[in-house]
Amino acid sequence: MRQLILFILLISFNINSSGQNDSCWSVLIHKANKFEYRSDMRTFNNSGFFLYRNCIYDFKLRNGNIYSGRLTDIKSDSLFFTNFPTYNISIKSNSQLDTFGIHYTQLEKIFLIKDWSSEARKTINLDNYNFVFVKDTLTNIIESKWGKVFSEQLTDNELIPRLSHPGITYHYDFNGKLYYHSGIKPLGPNLIQRHLRYDPVRDIWYFYLKEIEN
């Protein structure tokens, strides 16, 4: 827990000290009394992981609704998701692509797909997890990749990141259905560089955190 307090203080101290106005909300999820800062905070771990914008999450709400949606935004106590990963999938489901916001306490479970053919999955019950919302200088977004899935294609497919059991995997929409792209290995860990900076106005030193994607 002392590590968690120190980590949050470093982020807050960095923002307040540097006077940045381009900070945004991030959310850290960790099991009670088990926080540990890792070099890869995108993948699931009981000790803590961040949620990332544009990433697909498979989850269940406390009202029983189950979604596979992209995280579009994070506020001080709320998360905003799309109800489907893509427009084509929403049409295939005879519905409309939309965005909805939920209070974090409405999240009941997160599913981590293990096998794409059988859709075997690991279920994470969030009752025993803490949600920590902080202002951050990092945008916490995983960008989509683009590429041709089939050789005869004229245009590229959007390859969308998704939190899965192996890590962050990439998926594409084909005829209104989501498929795993086996040509891209699960996303490796990000490196977090800590730069010590001096603020002459306040006469203090502070840490600046910079995320570098491998």
Side-chain angles (χ1 to χ4, degrees), residues 151-211:
S151 58
E152 65 273 14
Q153 284 184 240
L154 298 178
T155 58
D156 291 343
N157 286 85
E158 182 183 12
L159 307 175
I160 313 167
R162 183 182 194 176
L163 180 62
S164 309
H165 192 267
I168 300 296
T169 52
Y170 283 86
H171 302 256
Y172 62 93
D173 173 358
F174 180 68
N175 288 337
K177 187 175 180 180
L178 206 62
Y179 291 90
Y180 168 59
H181 193 290
S182 58
I184 302 179
K185 66 179 182 179
L187 202 59
N190 276 4
L191 301 178
I192 303 294
Q193 289 186 345
R194 293 175 176 81
H195 301 275
L196 190 61
R197 292 184 175 182
Y198 177 68
D199 183 348
V201 177
R202 294 189 174 91
D203 190 25
I204 57 175
W205 292 86
Y206 64 92
F207 281 108
Y208 172 74
L209 307 182
K210 183 178 180 182
E211 188 172 23

Side-chain angles (χ1 to χ4, degrees), residues 4 18 43 59 80-81 92 97 110 126 134 146 165 167 171 173-174 190 210:
L4 175 60
S18 57
T43 57
F59 58 93
F80 295 81
F81 293 94
K92 191 80 171 182
L97 184 64
I110 289 180
L126 296 175
V134 294
W146 295 84
H165 192 267
H171 302 256
D173 173 358
F174 180 68
N190 276 4
K210 183 178 180 182

Side-chain angles (χ1 to χ4, degrees), residues 42-164:
R42 300 173 294 190
T43 57
F44 169 78
N45 192 291
N46 283 330
S47 64
F49 65 103
F50 279 101
L51 296 186
Y52 281 73
R53 293 168 176 83
N54 191 52
C55 191
I56 297 173
Y57 293 95
D58 303 277
F59 58 93
K60 179 182 178 182
L61 299 182
R62 297 194 183 279
N63 62 9
N65 291 341
I66 295 177
Y67 295 95
S68 293
R70 294 201 218 191
L71 180 65
T72 61
D73 202 3
I74 303 170
K75 299 301 183 184
S76 59
D77 60 0
S78 301
L79 305 168
F80 295 81
F81 293 94
T82 60
N83 53 345
F84 293 96
T86 68
Y87 172 77
N88 286 338
I89 294 176
S90 69
I91 296 301
K92 191 80 171 182
S93 302
N94 297 316
S95 187
Q96 291 183 336
L97 184 64
D98 199 3
T99 301
F100 64 96
I102 59 169
H103 192 268
Y104 75 93
T105 55
Q106 292 179 257
L107 274 176
E108 181 181 8
K109 296 176 181 178
I110 289 180
F111 304 114
L112 306 177
I113 307 297
K114 293 181 177 181
D115 183 89
W116 307 111
S117 57
S118 65
E119 296 192 351
R121 63 193 185 185
K122 177 178 180 179
T123 300
I124 309 302
N125 191 323
L126 296 175
D127 286 340
N128 299 321
Y129 287 79
N130 295 328
F131 286 71
V132 181
F133 289 81
V134 294
K135 279 282 193 175
D136 200 346
T137 56
L138 303 179
T139 55
N140 278 11
I141 183 172
I142 302 178
E143 300 288 356
S144 298
K145 298 180 183 293
W146 295 84
K148 293 179 175 62
V149 177
F150 307 106
S151 58
E152 65 273 14
Q153 284 184 240
L154 298 178
T155 58
D156 291 343
N157 286 85
E158 182 183 12
L159 307 175
I160 313 167
R162 183 182 194 176
L163 180 62
S164 309

